[in-house]
Structure formats: C-alpha cells, structure tokens
C-alpha cells in the first residue's frame, strides 16, 4: 500500500494483534517506495519509540524535520525522545 493512512491502519492492526515485526516491516516497505513521506516518517518514529528503539526513532524524526522544516512536531518529538 502506498497511501500513508492505509499503511498506518495496517500497521496499527498488526500491532493490536501483537505483530510488532510485521508492523515495522509494513512501514519500512512504504518508506522504501516513498522515503520522503512525512506522515510515514513520523508514524515510523513513533512506532520505533514505542518499541524502545530510541536511536532509530530519533533518525526518523530528524528525517521528518528535513522533509518538512516548517513543521515543529518532529523537533518536539526529538526533544521529548532525548529528555
């Protein structure tokens, strides 16, 4: 799936069923197709953060900040991540 909303819905469903690795793979596949998708980058960062993968999560938030420099949300997430 290419639509960020569809990808997030699929990944959330996978998470709800305890399929963490599958959820990560779903979002990673979407980002391979569209590496500059802000919504997918943010969702991936949140997913990684929620599974305790702090450094990779930070990289996704930093990339989201590059993709949309006028949006402060990724910077906020980075600040919270490393406080």
């Amino acid at each position: 799936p290419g639509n960020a909303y569809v990808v997030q819905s699929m990944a959330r469903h996978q998470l709800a069923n305890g399929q963490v690795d599958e959820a990560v793979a779903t979002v990673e596949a979407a980002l391979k197709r569209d590496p500059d998708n802000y919504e997918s980058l943010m969702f991936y960062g949140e997913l990684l953060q929620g599974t305790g993968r702090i450094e990779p999560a930070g990289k996704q938030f930093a990339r989201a900040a590059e993709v949309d420099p006028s949006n402060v949300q990724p910077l906020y997430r980075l600040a919270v991540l490393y406080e």
Side-chain angles (χ1 to χ4, degrees):
N3 180 299
Y5 176 77
V6 172
V7 168
Q8 289 179 27
S9 294
M10 286 179 60
R12 287 182 201 284
H13 178 75
Q14 291 166 324
L15 286 172
N17 288 309
Q19 300 170 314
V20 175
D21 292 337
E22 290 85 350
V24 169
T26 295
V27 181
E28 286 176 346
L31 283 168
K32 282 185 181 177
R33 285 189 302 278
D34 187 3
D36 292 336
N37 186 294
Y38 173 83
E39 291 83 12
S40 293
L41 288 165
M42 289 297 292
F43 181 77
Y44 190 37
E46 293 165 7
L47 174 61
L48 292 170
Q49 181 181 5
T51 59
R53 302 170 194 173
I54 302 304
E55 288 301 319
K59 289 180 182 179
Q60 298 309 309
F61 294 138
R63 179 71 186 123
E66 292 173 3
V67 168
D68 187 357
S70 65
N71 192 328
V72 299
Q73 187 64 27
L75 300 177
Y76 172 77
R77 296 304 302 248
L78 279 166
V80 170
L81 188 65
Y82 292 115
E83 70 175 0

